[in-house]
Amino acid sequence: MENVYDVIIIGSGPAGLTAAIYTQRANLKTLIVGGRKWGGQLQLTTLVENFPGFPEGIQGPDLMMNMRKQAEHHGATILDVDFVSGDYSSTPIKVKTDDDKEYQGKAVIIATGADTKWLGVPGEQEKIGRGVSSCAPCDGAFFRNKNVIVAGGGDSAMEEALVMTKYATEVTLIHRGPQFRASEIMQKRVRENPKIKIVMNTEIKEVLGEFKVEGVKLQTAVRGSGLAVWKDNKDNNFSPEEIGGQKLTANGQELNWQLPIDGIFVAIGHIPNSAVFEGIEKDEKGFIKVFEHTKTNIPHVYVAGDVHDNEYKQGITAAGFGCMAALEVEKYLMDQ
Ligand code: NDP
């Protein structure tokens, strides 16, 4: 039957396209349901300097186009349509797309990735790539000798802040709550780093600047001992002026102020694109659960990349997971 494939890959980021290169080269008839916005998060970045093989770096969209061409060169079929639903109860698995078509696959690889969780405040979205970033290892070098803030209180935020100390003059870590969620060791490293200032109990209300980031509007909730900037593990009160900010309004409960900065790194977590996969087990944050290498709870359904990986979240690790899933599928189909 024309519409029966050996493997259907859902998603066309580095995980999905790498999986396709491997499955097609293993002579498995491969269909990629790539999504109407194909290519994943690398389509939204500029220069990628940490993907091996490109000594001077490569633009994110160019890297994705190269991967797509490589998958097509080996014979994979890529559809720029969205996945709607799958019936995984028996093989071949039936996959429906948003153009009312149905395809069948002996195995499926889910590689739909994750989206950065953004703050959702005015001024943020239009400045992505103009001072707003979600990846310090990718974009840090553009902020040499500049002042930046990092938003978040988990391990990602700690890591982003530490990475940024290699480039920026000053890094201010801004967290909405009274305590961090990050591991003790990461918190310790951050507190001991003289380049990092920490502002707790503070929400980012707006990203300021006409064409690029020039500052942020902040609101600090006054709790317990008051406002706190920690330095060297000490809990100090502060005035916005002390850290280069400007007071706007203040009352007993909150202080509104603004801070001039050149860049903001948002590190408040990721949202996996997994909601459409009914019957596939997920963790409490929606990341698809992995049982042994790249297997999901359903024998003929595999997973690769950021839709299951809340830890590394890199293009190169997603590509690696894609390779692993493809090799697992090849083994599974040979055993059938
Ligand atoms: P987490 O979910 O651990 O932390 C997210 C942080 O962002 C929390 O502090 C949360 O605040 C804050 N936050 C969430 N939504 C908002 C919002 N709308 N506005 C402001 N702040 C917000 O995500 P991470 O990406 O940090 O970490 C994910 C996983 O990856 C964790 O398991 C972590 O340990 C791991 N990891 C490990 C690393 C390492 O060991 N080197 C490096 C990076 C990640 P609140 O606390 O108030 O909810």
Side-chain angles (χ1 to χ4, degrees):
M1 259 172 34
E2 201 197 325
N3 275 358
V4 178
Y5 289 82
D6 291 313
V7 55
I8 298 179
I9 296 168
I10 303 161
S12 54
L17 292 174
T18 304
I21 292 163
Y22 272 78
T23 51
Q24 212 33 81
R25 290 191 76 252
N27 244 345
L28 300 175
K29 193 180 166 199
T30 302
L31 174 71
I32 301 176
V33 177
R36 293 199 178 265
K37 282 191 281 174
W38 77 275
Q41 292 189 78
L42 280 175
Q43 293 281 39
L44 308 174
T45 56
T46 49
L47 193 65
V48 179
E49 292 184 311
N50 56 8
F51 200 97
F54 304 94
E56 263 120 60
I58 180 168
Q59 293 291 319
D62 293 342
L63 178 59
M64 292 321 300
M65 186 50 85
N66 286 352
M67 286 191 207
R68 180 176 177 132
K69 282 187 186 153
Q70 196 172 351
E72 284 173 331
H73 170 76
H74 289 292
T77 303
I78 305 182
L79 302 176
D80 295 314
V81 295
D82 281 339
F83 167 90
V84 172
S85 64
D87 176 357
Y88 318 104
S89 55
S90 60
T91 50
I93 297 159
K94 293 173 200 66
V95 164
K96 283 194 176 144
T97 52
D98 69 347
D99 53 353
D100 285 332
K101 300 239 168 75
E102 185 177 283
Y103 302 89
Q104 298 184 27
K106 296 174 195 161
V108 160
I109 298 175
I110 297 173
T112 41
D115 288 333
T116 296
K117 189 172 170 193
W118 296 104
L119 292 162
V121 297
E124 182 189 45
Q125 282 300 303
E126 61 269 28
K127 294 189 198 74
I128 293 171
R130 296 168 181 207
V132 175
S133 170
S134 62
C135 181
C138 320
D139 298 333
F142 302 123
F143 294 87
R144 264 181 226 284
N145 308 322
K146 306 220 164 171
N147 294 333
V148 300
I149 62 170
V150 174
D155 280 328
S156 293
M158 305 297 132
E159 198 154 276
E160 297 280 288
L162 290 165
V163 169
M164 284 315 297
T165 60
K166 291 190 210 139
Y167 307 104
T169 309
E170 204 161 74
V171 179
T172 306
L173 180 60
I174 298 190
H175 177 41
R176 66 178 176 184
Q179 61 211 23
F180 288 129
R181 193 185 282 258
S183 55
E184 279 304 322
I185 175 110
M186 295 296 280
Q187 291 191 38
K188 186 166 178 283
R189 279 184 204 152
V190 161
R191 287 193 190 131
E192 286 175 356
N193 192 307
K195 266 196 180 178
I196 303 177
K197 288 173 185 161
I198 301 174
V199 177
M200 306 295 284
N201 298 323
T202 297
E203 283 182 31
I204 297 163
K205 291 292 189 188
E206 190 177 339
V207 179
L208 303 168
E210 204 151 331
F211 300 109
K212 60 182 176 60
V213 172
E214 288 169 16
V216 275
K217 266 195 187 163
L218 302 165
Q219 186 175 77
T220 300
V222 181
R223 304 175 202 226
S225 61
L227 312 170
V229 173
W230 292 338
K231 281 181 187 164
D232 299 332
N233 214 10
K234 288 196 183 73
D235 205 353
N236 294 322
N237 287 338
F238 75 98
S239 69
E241 291 81 2
E242 268 176 73
I243 61 164
Q246 182 198 344
K247 202 184 284 179
L248 299 174
T249 59
N251 61 37
Q253 282 83 49
E254 64 196 30
L255 168 71
N256 291 295
W257 52 296
Q258 65 185 43
L259 186 66
I261 41 136
D262 305 299
I264 165 166
F265 287 80
V266 179
I268 61 171
H270 283 79
I271 304 167
N273 296 317
S274 64
V276 280
F277 300 108
E278 280 172 28
I280 309 288
E281 277 191 40
K282 298 156 205 159
D283 69 14
E284 67 286 353
K285 287 185 180 163
F287 289 92
I288 290 181
K289 278 194 189 171
V290 177
F291 300 81
E292 212 194 316
H293 303 305
T294 59
K295 293 182 181 154
T296 68
N297 59 311
I298 298 192
H300 31 268
V301 180
Y302 295 75
V303 64
D306 289 10
V307 69
H308 85 285
D309 166 32
N310 192 21
E311 186 81 30
Y312 304 106
K313 302 169 278 198
Q314 300 298 303
I316 187 67
T317 50
F321 284 125
C323 159
M324 285 161 60
L327 295 175
E328 294 284 320
V329 164
E330 198 183 330
K331 214 160 46 177
Y332 163 76
L333 290 177
M334 266 193 346
D335 290 346
Q336 293 305 296

